[in-house]
Amino acid sequence: MRREPDEVGQATGPGHVAIIMDGNGRWAQMRGRPRLFGHHAGARRVREIVEACPENGVKYLTIFAFSTENWKRTQVEVSGLMKLFQRYITKEARALSDVGVRVRFIGDRVRLNDKLVELMDNLEILTAHNDLVHLTIALNYGGRDEVARATKRLAQDVALGTLDPETIDEETLPRYLDTYVLPDPDLVIRTSGEARISNFLLWQSAYAEYEFIDTLWPDFTAEEFGRLARKYGARDRRFGAVKA
Ligand code: FPP
């Protein structure tokens, strides 16, 4: 039976929401400010959305902070973003840990600077015992890059003789992805009016629901997040099957 969004309670919320946080640059430009001003405003939004997860039935939240393609931006913007990530981790670590958030990072760390990687490692360790909300931050992440890195490791296991190619099926590759401990996303939200997935969680989102909304990320509120979560709860997901 289909239910109206308002009747839907926590149990039917999207257990895993992934967000493409887009629109920081336009938000800043509309105010006559540099793009980094928008990224700082965007970073401040993250906590509010993380804190709204439990009441909306969201156990896993995955956010796209920096893509493998974002290196093509100006040096000023890239280095400003890297500094912002360092500052964010340093400043938010204790607060996130204290409210029961477990933080993980996905993406290729090889190109990130050592100081940032150390902060990321430490935050993962500091929050490893938490279980209220699992926040995953995608940093230097690209879906194709992730599949390529996973395939390389899988091929190495075949070469070593620890993986029999005959046993490879749909369950095998996900074990080599950065997200191997996470469930697949139920709902993917992209802000700022663009209807693209931009190389985000390509394998994992095969059956996700999508919401493309006009709001620019720095204006995205807990109320809007809750509305999208309730709307999701009213949807009918069949995963390719026919309804009985
Ligand atoms: C896309 O907006 C946003 C990014 C490339 C960076 C996302 C980063 C944040 C929201 C802040 C940091 C997050 C954390 C976890 C600290 P855009 O610059 O492409 O916007 P535009 O499309 O309007 O130009």
Side-chain angles (χ1 to χ4, degrees):
M1 193 183 77
R2 208 171 173 82
R3 290 196 283 174
E4 288 306 312
D6 284 343
E7 297 172 46
V8 175
Q10 186 167 321
T12 50
H16 185 177
V17 177
I19 307 184
I20 302 172
M21 307 180 288
D22 196 12
N24 296 345
R26 272 163 287 168
W27 187 89
Q29 275 156 6
M30 281 161 60
R31 287 160 178 77
R33 304 294 299 266
R35 296 176 58 79
L36 278 166
F37 181 73
H39 294 315
H40 281 266
R44 285 194 294 276
R45 273 291 156 199
V46 173
R47 172 107 70 92
E48 180 183 339
I49 303 307
V50 173
E51 286 178 355
C53 284
E55 72 210 52
N56 288 295
V58 178
K59 182 99 183 163
Y60 293 85
L61 179 71
T62 300
I63 56 175
F64 206 178
F66 193 87
S67 76
T68 46
E69 288 74 34
N70 286 153
W71 296 104
K72 294 179 200 148
R73 296 187 175 205
T74 65
Q75 204 263 331
V76 170
E77 185 169 354
V78 169
S79 68
L81 274 167
M82 293 300 147
K83 280 200 201 91
L84 168 62
F85 298 140
Q86 289 198 21
R87 228 176 74 180
Y88 181 86
I89 295 172
T90 310
K91 222 176 103 223
E92 290 285 291
R94 182 58 60 189
L96 288 168
S97 177
D98 287 351
V99 293
V101 178
R102 178 167 187 172
V103 184
R104 296 183 178 88
F105 293 90
I106 55 171
D108 189 358
R109 299 182 190 201
V110 169
R111 201 168 163 186
L112 301 175
N113 84 51
D114 292 346
K115 179 67 194 161
L116 177 57
V117 173
E118 188 188 330
L119 288 167
M120 290 158 64
D121 288 342
N122 288 344
L123 184 55
E124 287 186 334
I125 294 165
L126 176 74
T127 62
H129 59 283
N130 288 337
D131 186 44
L132 182 65
V133 177
H134 293 242
L135 172 66
T136 302
I137 302 176
L139 230 173
N140 193 27
Y141 175 87
R144 289 182 174 181
D145 176 69
E146 179 191 33
V147 170
R149 286 185 287 107
T151 307
K152 193 186 281 185
R153 287 197 297 273
L154 185 151
Q156 282 163 349
D157 282 351
V158 170
L160 285 169
T162 54
L163 179 67
D164 175 359
E166 285 305 318
T167 66
I168 295 174
D169 60 18
E170 278 190 26
E171 309 296 319
T172 313
L173 188 69
R175 294 204 298 268
Y176 291 84
L177 295 174
D178 297 349
T179 52
Y180 66 99
V181 291
L182 305 177
D184 285 343
D186 299 299
L187 173 64
V188 178
I189 299 170
R190 182 179 188 137
T191 57
S192 96
E194 311 288 350
R196 294 191 291 273
I197 58 169
S198 297
N199 207 7
F200 191 40
L201 301 175
L202 294 181
W203 174 282
Q204 299 88 338
S205 299
Y207 286 100
E209 300 282 336
Y210 283 87
E211 285 287 353
F212 298 103
I213 55 164
D214 288 336
T215 311
L216 304 177
W217 173 253
D219 291 329
F220 187 68
T221 60
E223 286 73 40
E224 192 159 19
F225 182 65
R227 183 180 63 76
L228 295 174
R230 287 193 297 280
K231 189 174 162 198
Y232 168 89
R235 285 171 168 183
D236 183 14
R237 294 177 84 201
R238 292 194 294 275
F239 300 94
V242 175
K243 205 173 178 187

